[in-house]
Amino acid sequence: MIRIQQLKLDIGHTPEMLRQAVADALKLPPGQIKNYHIVRRSIDARKKPDIFYVYAVDVEIPKEQQFLKKRNSKNLTLVKKQRYQFPASGEQPLATRPVIIGSGPAGLFCALLLAGHGYQPLVLERGAGMEERKTAVERFWRTGVLDTESNVQFGEGGAGTFSDGKLNTLVKDHAGRSRKVLEIFTEAGASPDILIEHKPHIGTDVLESVVKNIRQEIIRLGGEIRFHSKVTDLEIRDHRICSVTVNGTGRIPAELVVLAIGHSARDTFARLKELAVPMQPKPFAV
């Protein structure tokens, strides 16, 4: 597959004009351009009032390597489409289902993929489900009364749900993970535009239903999600997880636990330190 970079067209261009630009970049008649798809679209507004769309487009043509040798252009490269592959399953069966702590992006996507491969995961979330959480957040903005367990930071969808649904995607996506995430979002109701926009954005108003749809799919596939279920302790013996304790009393046997607790669950991090669970800080950019 050949990728064409830096295709610049007026904002009001037509699909035919894009096809013509693809043909011009390859120096081929438009009729020979059979299969192409948009990889990325951004806006160039550096020279107002002239504003342009800038495209990256993948094109399929015969004998692509030989073709590129004849077209020496920095805007043409040979690429291989990478689809995300779920890791191969182990050989030893689990005696208990996987437990995922947290239902933010990491927890939801982990649960969705595990459920889709038959693992029937259990998700434990200290906050409320989307409907109840939204009510608590709106009450806080209106009155200042804070629910310490279900708020902008805690609850289904994670902290990003109420920061207007912005997405952070990888610059390089060699494993196809970022593309898989965007595809799942669109399957759950997000606009297909996020598959091509340079800085994709869903919006909190849409993200609310997207998160609920992902939850419903996890349940349909055999998973379970429990809200108002705060993990207050973990039982570790011989360096192996044995169980988790919920709300101080309920013990759930577990041999595989995924910590998808975000950055605000300071009490959980404190307990992990007490249990001498190895941890290290992750570098980040501001």
Side-chain angles (χ1 to χ4, degrees), residues 23 31 60 87 127 159 204 229 250:
E60 296 180 31
T204 293
S229 298

Side-chain angles (χ1 to χ4, degrees), residues 99-102 106 231 234 257-262 268 272 277:
V99 174
I100 301 167
I101 304 175
V231 173
L234 300 98
V257 175
V258 177
L259 295 172
I261 56 179
T268 309
L272 291 171
V277 174

Side-chain angles (χ1 to χ4, degrees), residues 192-203:
D193 286 346
I194 66 172
L195 295 171
I196 62 172
E197 295 294 349
H198 175 56
K199 293 184 177 180
H201 180 272
I202 293 179

